[in-house]
Every structure is written in C-alpha cells, then in structure tokens.
Amino acid sequence: MNKVYHNSFFAMGTRFNTVIPDIDFEHGDKIFFNIQKEVNRIESILSYFNRTSEVYKLNHRNKNNSIPISSELFNILDICLNYNKLTEGAFDITLRPVIEQLEESEKILSGDEIKNKPFSYGMDKIKLNEDETITFADEYLTVDFGGFGKGYSLDKIKTILLNYNVKNAFISFGESSILALGSQPIGNCWKVGINNYQSPGSSITTIELNNESISSSANFSISDDGSFRRKINVIDPRTQVQAVSNKSVTVKSSSAIEAEILSTAFLLMNEQKILKILDGLKGISVVEVIYNDEPVINFYNGEN
Amino acid sequence: MKEYFIQSRRAFLKRISILAGSSVAALSMPWLNIFGDTNSIGKTSTDKVRIGIIGIGDRGKALLLNIKEFMDILNVEITAVCDDYEPHLQLGMELTEGKAKGFNDYRRMLEMKELDGVIIATPLHEHARMTVDSLTMGLHVFCEKAMARNIDDVKLMYDTHIKSNRILQIGLQRMFNPVYLEGIEKIYKGDLGQITQIRAYWHRNNNWRRPLPNNDASFEKRVNWRLYDEFSAGLLTELASHQIQVANWALNSEPVSVMGTGSINYWKDGREVYDNIACIFSYPDGTQFIYDSMISNKHYGLEEQILGNKGTIEFEVNKFYSETPPTPPAILQLINDIEKGIFDSIPIGGASWVPETAVQYKGEYISGNYRMDETKLQLEAFVKFIREGRAPEMLTRHGYYSSLWCLLAEQAIKTGTTLKLPDGYSI
C-alpha cells in the first residue's frame, strides 16, 4: 500500500484538507503544521469578523485618510484593485454591506430596490498612497476578503510545499478552492471532477491539473436534500442586479489567487466579456455551467 | 430532517445493548447490562419488587411518579411511603391511590417485612442514618445524591453497603443518560484523544428559597435546609456532585487534590452556604477539572466540557466537536486511490463562494436519544438490580467518590487549603 499523508483543520469558515503522497508521517506533520500556521496567520490579517484582525480594525477605523496598514495588506489591496480594473468592477471587495442588506431582505431585489438602499461600496473609493497608507473616500466603506483569502493562502502554501521539496500534493480549501501540486503519484496530473448539482455524486466534467489551482463559485447553494437553494450574495456591483439563472463557474490557473478572483467575477459576465479578459491572460481555463432543465456547459480558454 | 430525533424505547434498548456489548462497556458502564436482561422481569406476585419511599418532597414525588410509569411492566409495587411532614405523607398516599402504607417515622417503615428496597429522597443530612439503617435491615437502597453531609458518614454508608451485601445506588442520573453513555463511549474509544482538561459549571439565577407553609418561620430550616451549613454544603452537594461524577467518569479516575474558594456575594439573606464557588480538582495524570457554580446569573446555564487533543464534548448540549473536520468523501476516495495505486478522477470541485460566516463547524450530536428520561432509567435499573440481588460496584463507587470530593471541596474552600483524600477513605 502506498504511503499518503492526510490532515485537516478548520479555517476561514470552512474545512481545509491536505493530502501529500509518498511522505513519512512525521515529515508530513511538520509541513502540515507550517501550513496551518500560515493559514491562521493570513486569517488573522484578513478576517472580517475577528476583532483582532487587521481588516477588522481597518473596517472599524476612526479616520479615513492616510490610514497606516501592513505591507502585506497593502500589497493584497493592490492586487485586488488591479483585478477590480481587469474585471471592469465585477470583482469587488467592498460589497459585503450590500450582501448583508440583501440577505436580511430574504428575497431577490430589483435593481431599483437595491439602488435605493443606503450603503456604501465601490473599490473606486479606495486609494493606496505612496507611503503605504490607505485612504477611504467614504467613512462607511468596508473591505471583505472572503472571495480572496483562500486563493491567497493556497499560493502561499505552494511556496511552503516547494520549500520542503514536496513534488506532489493536493490541497483542498472547502472543496471550492484547490491547489494541485505536481501530479497523482501514478498519473501525469490530478483529475478533478466538477460536481453536477442536478445529479449529486456525479461529475459534469473533469479537469486535469498539474501545478495548478482551481476555484469554483456559484450563485446558488444546495439544500440538504440536494435541491437548489437560491443564494443572493452574488450581485453585479456595476448594475446592482443579481444573476437570475443558476450558474457555477470554475476557473483553472497557475495562480490560486487569480482562479479565486476570476471565478467570482466570471459569474457576472457573459461569454463575450469572459473571452475578452481571457485574451489578456495566459493559461486560464474556464468551465461555466448553467443549470436549466439540463445543465449547459461552456468551456472558455485563454491563450496557451 | 431534524439533526436529532427522539428515539423510541425499543430503539433505545437496541442502542443500549450495542453500547453494553462495546469493548469499553465493562470499563465504563457495566450497569447497562441490566437493560438487556429480560429474564429479570418477574411476573408473579412472589416476584414483585416492593419499594418503600422515604421523603415525598419535590424529588421524592418525582421519583414516585417515575416508578408508577413502569410499575406494571416491571412488576413493581410502592408498598410504603414515609414522610414526617403530614401534607407530604398524605400526598404520597394519594399518589399511590392509598395502596401504599403510610409512615411518619422511617424506622417503623423499615420494620415492614414486605419491603425489598427503599428510595431515600430526604434532606442531605438525613441520608446517612436512613441508608445505614435500611442496609442493616437487609434492604437495598437507592439514595439521592449527595450521599451525606460529612465524609465520615459517606464512608459509613459505603462500609455498611459492603458489610450488608446490599445494593447502594446513588441518584446520579447522568450515568443513565443516553447522551452521556454514548459520549463516555466516545471518550473511552479515544475519539477525543487524551483528555487534557475538564471544565464544568452550573449557574442559576434564583435565591434557592422555598416558601414556608403558612409563612410559618418555624419551618425555615426544615424547608430551606439547603441554605444552612448544618444540613447542606449548598452548591457543592446539590449541583457539583453530579458534575464531579461526570469528570471522574470521563477520566476513569478520581481526583488527588482539590483547591477552591467561595463566598456569599449576592444573596446576603442570612443563609450560611456559599452562593458562588470556584474549585480546581487535580487528577493523577495531571489533568485539571475546573469548576464553578453560582446562583446570581443564569446566562451560561450548566455544562460539562471534556477537552481532549482530538476533540471536545459538551454533554449538556449533546455535542461532540472534532479538532479536525470530517473528511469529505472525495478526499477519502483520493487517499484510497493513492494507497491502492488507482489513478482516477475525484468529484470534488464546485462549491459556491461562501462568506466567512456561512460555514461554521457546529459540531456533531453525540446521541439521538436526546430526551430519554434518565431518572426513570436509573430507577428502572434499581428495580432490576434488586431482582438480581446485586448491582455493579462501579455504580456505588461513582456515588462514593463524587460525594466525597464535593465535601472535600467544601473543606478546601472553608480552610483555604489544598486538600488530598485523607487516609482510610480510598475504596
């Protein structure tokens, strides 16, 4: 029987699983401990809810101009602002107040209803200053890295694994964000099936990964009985309108951050806009599934 | 679908028989075997189990009503009731439809030849003499917790039980609660890893006083005996004794020392027992059991938390929390594939983006038998033990050590010292 190390822990509101083939338990444990430490460190910076996190303190600031932040958070905000521009505003880390208001309403709101609600959002209200401070244009603006932290963690974990000379590993963050380092020991890649929510337990398609990550986003969730349950926390920040059809998007990239950000943004984009963004990027594959009577699958690929 | 459900008695007994047959049952819950022993139910009048109940106050009444529920099924008879307070005695007679013979002196009741066992539900300071007298008369005894007001009486009760070769069961009903039984099985099977700490608390917000009949002040100490040092160790004997038993059970051990503190900081109404206490019990392996109790805030209620390096149990809410999350089926498949040299696709990708708060691990229910009546089960066991003529000694030992250590905790608080078990009290 081949050796395989497995361990897991809770982080960022979900479960984190590490699978490393062909490694001694003690060595695996040492690596896992460092991974866990790194994820916890990142969560202690990015958590929206932890009262001691840097982001919590930023969101509960007492001034809006020239707020000093750590270099790491400064760089993270820089990355987010760049992807906000790339996706023409579809990826937006300031949307949580909108989402919370929508969740309280417990129904799908019209664009006008959303527009009439009093909250502040929009990444154009964030300004990074040259002295590594940040300025918010609105005192109520908050940032939330729920759609970023897992991908960011996976890229950091990749560095840890490579530093330990690990060639093959499979890291799953809540099954929605996955890092596949190297390949399955007897294969040339890791084969990951994308779940078919209309046929629980079966895969709608298979994606092959080798030193790559995938991230999946959907605008719905599943009830315990397997049926769809609408989710209202994905809205288009440009139009304030929620997507109507049930849709999931899986993005494959060599960068876990990119996969995570684009899977969220592509949920709100049509084929034309997705292809336009992919044109400027390398090595990105997208699987879009629209659930009607039968699932409709669209594959989009960027430049190879 | 509900995450837990109330199991039928049949389903419960089936589960109990599985628990009783588990590899850890002999070590942790040998008394469960009695529920699988259907032969012990005699149907003839000569095989009837005849019970006398001493004390028909709130607790005694509850015990009496519980017995009535299974009297016919288990061929039990409440032969006598006893209380030195006339209204309570009358109540006991009424509740047995006049079939039980009434006594206002328990010694007269014990002289009855028609008794097999007695249930004692009187104030704490009366337990010892009633238990010792009953055992000496050859009767089996079910005595409410805690055992006695002082450690000498606790030891005397235990020694008399051994000498008389009669059952002495103490009313620590958590030992019959399906949630605790299944939780203890998890602990003994190693699901929590090494137990590294236990925490427990019991918080209420009331003055613990009961109204006096006709506002007659002469009844004060008789009715509110819990508030007076002569009769009660207060929170320790009334509440903590249950939770010390749970800690001892979880650790399969007894403390080696206790330290503590306490005061009357809120109910300054002439009472003599503490209205808040905090204690630390130390066990031989270095595990600490941290305990506190109070009656001026009920926000946190009661709980026993068993903390291990692999998981945590919170008994009162029927929850087990793993330190590591349940492994998703797809990851299990992946591990299996790698181990067996299979190269296949695993169905894993596709969950939606979730805000940080949406997925919080809320633990797993320990048992589905969430509302089984533990008090009834322990009385049912007592009846069956009487029919067998014996009960597992571990049952009595739990009563002994929980009673002893709550009284030692009281002394530790009063003297401000760390106390160990005095010589001669180890059993």
Side-chain angles (χ1 to χ4, degrees):
Chain A
M1 189 175 280
N2 300 317
K3 274 192 296 192
V4 54
Y5 176 85
H6 169 242
N7 212 334
S8 61
F9 66 102
F10 294 103
M12 299 186 182
T14 187
R15 54 190 176 188
F16 179 97
N17 276 271
T18 301
V19 178
I20 309 175
D22 301 325
I23 193 167
D24 290 334
F25 180 82
E26 280 184 18
H27 191 39
D29 238 15
K30 192 174 177 184
I31 296 167
F32 177 79
F33 174 75
N34 279 288
I35 289 173
Q36 189 174 16
K37 200 165 77 172
E38 177 65 0
V39 172
N40 289 338
R41 188 191 67 80
I42 293 167
E43 189 169 17
S44 75
I45 297 172
L46 298 183
S47 173
Y48 191 82
F49 301 100
N50 185 339
R51 285 170 179 266
T52 60
S53 81
E54 190 174 1
V55 164
Y56 185 92
K57 288 172 186 165
L58 184 62
N59 287 338
H60 295 79
R61 62 194 174 271
N62 52 21
K63 64 173 187 174
N64 293 307
N65 295 318
S66 303
I67 308 159
I69 56 173
S70 67
S71 293
E72 186 165 6
L73 186 55
F74 189 89
N75 290 334
I76 287 169
L77 281 163
D78 193 30
I79 294 168
C80 292
L81 282 165
N82 285 332
Y83 276 104
N84 177 257
K85 282 179 196 147
L86 177 74
T87 59
E88 297 175 346
F91 172 73
D92 191 327
I93 59 170
T94 67
L95 287 177
R96 175 168 283 277
V98 187
I99 293 164
E100 286 176 350
Q101 294 257 357
L102 293 177
E103 285 176 343
E104 279 176 22
S105 73
E106 293 182 343
K107 63 168 187 167
I108 296 175
L109 301 180
S110 70
D112 284 343
E113 283 174 313
I114 294 171
K115 278 177 187 168
N116 291 333
K117 285 197 171 285
F119 31 57
S120 172
Y121 64 91
M123 289 184 68
D124 55 333
K125 294 174 180 168
I126 300 173
K127 188 185 167 212
L128 298 182
N129 305 317
E130 283 184 3
D131 60 353
E132 286 207 348
T133 62
I134 181 175
T135 295
F136 287 112
D138 188 308
E139 66 177 310
Y140 297 111
L141 197 73
T142 59
V143 288
D144 169 28
F145 294 90
F148 177 87
K150 296 182 188 71
Y152 183 72
S153 299
L154 287 178
D155 279 345
K156 294 281 187 187
I157 290 164
K158 188 174 181 178
T159 304
I160 292 173
L161 291 167
L162 293 173
N163 284 343
Y164 275 102
N165 211 23
V166 173
K167 300 281 190 296
N168 305 315
F170 190 90
I171 315 290
S172 167
F173 222 137
E175 294 88 83
S176 64
S177 298
I178 290 164
L179 164 66
L181 187 68
S183 62
Q184 223 257 32
I186 59 158
N188 57 359
C189 64
W190 296 91
K191 289 199 281 192
V192 171
I194 303 302
N195 285 325
N196 179 355
Y197 295 116
Q198 287 180 338
S199 177
S202 69
S203 297
I204 211 156
T205 187
T206 296
I207 297 179
E208 296 187 350
L209 302 170
N210 192 317
N211 284 324
E212 290 160 311
S213 291
I214 59 164
S215 175
S216 297
S217 296
N219 61 2
F220 59 86
S221 59
I222 303 292
S223 298
D224 289 343
D225 61 4
S227 62
F228 280 100
R229 187 171 61 194
R230 281 288 295 142
K231 200 169 170 182
I232 58 169
N233 62 4
V234 179
I235 70 159
D236 189 332
R238 300 154 303 177
T239 60
Q240 297 94 18
V241 172
Q242 297 163 75
V244 174
S245 57
N246 292 325
K247 181 175 167 183
S248 78
V249 174
T250 301
V251 174
K252 177 172 91 166
S253 168
S254 58
S255 158
I257 291 177
E258 191 164 72
E260 179 132 20
I261 288 174
L262 293 182
S263 68
T264 307
F266 287 172
L267 265 183
L268 304 166
M269 295 183 173
N270 60 25
E271 177 180 355
Q272 190 185 2
K273 289 190 172 178
I274 292 172
L275 288 172
K276 185 182 165 194
I277 287 173
L278 291 182
D279 268 352
L281 300 170
K282 285 190 176 178
I284 309 284
S285 300
V286 180
V287 180
E288 177 190 73
V289 186
I290 297 166
Y291 289 91
N292 294 319
D293 292 339
E294 290 291 325
V296 177
I297 312 171
N298 299 312
F299 297 93
Y300 308 118
N301 289 295
E303 293 174 22
N304 291 317
Chain B
M1 194 174 77
K2 284 187 177 178
E3 287 180 89
Y4 65 83
F5 57 96
I6 303 166
Q7 290 196 3
S8 68
R9 181 177 166 78
R10 181 176 295 181
F12 166 71
L13 290 176
K14 190 175 174 186
R15 179 65 192 134
I16 286 295
S17 71
I18 294 168
L19 268 176
S22 80
S23 58
V24 299
L27 193 63
S28 60
M29 50 193 78
W31 52 88
L32 284 192
N33 283 324
I34 199 72
F35 290 102
D37 186 2
T38 50
N39 293 329
S40 62
I41 304 172
K43 294 292 179 192
T44 65
S45 59
T46 54
D47 204 21
K48 196 181 282 288
V49 172
R50 300 158 301 178
I51 301 286
I53 303 178
I54 309 174
I56 315 292
D58 285 350
R59 188 60 181 165
K61 177 185 164 189
L63 298 177
L64 186 154
L65 292 173
N66 269 290
I67 290 174
K68 280 182 74 174
E69 287 188 34
F70 59 71
M71 270 172 65
D72 294 339
I73 302 167
L74 295 185
N75 199 14
V76 187
E77 177 183 86
I78 299 172
T79 310
V81 290
C82 174
D83 203 301
D84 60 1
Y85 180 51
E86 184 60 24
H88 283 178
L89 177 59
Q90 286 305 317
L91 176 67
M93 306 277 283
E94 285 167 23
L95 290 173
T96 54
E97 288 86 34
K99 291 175 189 166
K101 195 169 178 186
F103 295 88
N104 57 19
D105 184 335
Y106 80 94
R107 290 166 298 188
R108 301 287 83 76
M109 188 184 99
L110 298 184
E111 287 167 0
M112 286 181 77
K113 297 203 185 315
E114 302 86 3
L115 281 180
D116 298 305
V118 297
I119 289 172
I120 298 169
T122 55
L124 177 70
H125 67 290
E126 296 180 331
H127 287 179
R129 63 187 173 99
M130 291 174 172
T131 298
V132 169
D133 286 349
S134 301
L135 292 169
T136 306
M137 293 290 282
L139 298 171
H140 301 294
V141 173
F142 175 99
C143 179
E144 267 303 334
K145 61 78 209 163
M147 281 172 74
R149 181 63 193 91
N150 61 67
I151 62 171
D152 287 340
D153 278 351
V154 172
K155 184 68 165 50
L156 177 64
M157 288 166 75
Y158 181 78
D159 288 345
T160 309
H161 145 71
I162 294 293
K163 193 174 167 188
S164 65
N165 198 25
R166 290 292 181 270
I167 296 162
L168 174 57
Q169 184 178 339
I170 307 302
L172 295 162
Q173 60 266 25
R174 282 166 178 72
M175 285 190 281
F176 293 86
N177 182 316
V179 173
Y180 286 75
L181 291 164
E182 299 209 27
I184 290 290
E185 190 204 23
K186 280 178 103 57
I187 292 167
Y188 279 54
K189 274 166 52 189
D191 290 0
L192 275 71
Q194 181 189 329
I195 304 301
T196 47
Q197 189 183 83
I198 296 181
R199 302 192 300 195
Y201 50 85
W202 199 323
H203 295 182
R204 290 175 171 173
N205 194 349
N206 59 45
N207 67 4
W208 237 15
R209 285 194 172 278
R210 295 185 179 179
L212 305 180
N214 304 317
N215 283 325
D216 182 348
S218 67
F219 279 98
E220 167 63 8
K221 289 196 172 179
R222 198 166 162 188
V223 172
N224 287 311
W225 56 271
R226 288 174 188 79
L227 307 181
Y228 295 96
D229 188 72
E230 182 183 354
F231 311 119
S232 171
L235 297 168
L236 286 154
T237 43
E238 293 306 305
L239 304 179
S241 51
H242 283 298
Q243 294 168 304
I244 294 170
Q245 184 271 318
V246 172
N248 292 350
W249 196 12
L251 288 165
N252 191 26
S253 182
E254 293 89 37
V256 289
S257 69
V258 60
M259 62 176 84
T261 186
S263 71
I264 302 171
N265 74 348
Y266 186 78
W267 296 108
K268 297 174 181 178
D269 57 0
R271 71 185 57 205
E272 296 168 1
V273 300
Y274 303 125
D275 65 6
N276 74 99
I277 56 155
C279 308
I280 300 175
F281 299 85
S282 298
Y283 285 76
D285 66 354
T287 303
Q288 312 297 338
F289 168 35
I290 301 159
Y291 184 81
D292 74 275
S293 184
M294 65 191 297
I295 46 175
S296 53
N297 179 294
K298 64 181 179 184
H299 180 70
Y300 290 104
L302 76 160
E303 190 54 87
E304 301 93 36
Q305 301 165 332
I306 316 296
L307 285 64
N309 70 312
K310 290 184 181 173
T312 302
I313 274 181
E314 290 182 346
F315 275 118
E316 297 289 343
V317 293
N318 187 15
K319 281 292 186 75
F320 168 71
Y321 306 86
S322 174
E323 287 285 292
T324 53
T327 305
I331 293 288
L332 288 174
Q333 185 191 323
L334 177 63
I335 294 165
N336 186 57
D337 284 357
I338 296 170
E339 284 177 344
K340 293 181 177 167
I342 299 166
F343 180 47
D344 204 353
S345 169
I346 56 159
I348 190 168
S352 54
W353 173 65
V354 179
E356 280 176 304
T357 50
V359 181
Q360 285 184 350
Y361 179 56
K362 296 191 172 74
E364 303 150 40
Y365 285 102
I366 301 168
S367 169
N369 302 294
Y370 196 55
R371 291 181 191 166
M372 284 301 290
D373 190 332
E374 56 194 15
T375 296
K376 193 183 302 170
L377 290 168
Q378 68 171 351
L379 290 169
E380 187 177 326
F382 178 57
V383 166
K384 291 184 167 190
F385 290 142
I386 289 176
R387 192 165 273 124
E388 298 258 309
R390 58 193 169 87
E393 193 55 24
M394 190 186 290
L395 204 57
T396 312
R397 290 173 64 90
H398 270 295
Y400 177 80
Y401 277 117
S402 73
S403 299
L404 207 58
W405 280 100
C406 67
L407 293 167
L408 288 170
E410 182 201 17
Q411 289 308 310
I413 293 171
K414 282 182 171 175
T415 59
T417 55
T418 300
L419 287 188
K420 295 183 175 178
L421 189 67
D423 289 343
Y425 287 85
S426 183
I427 58 170

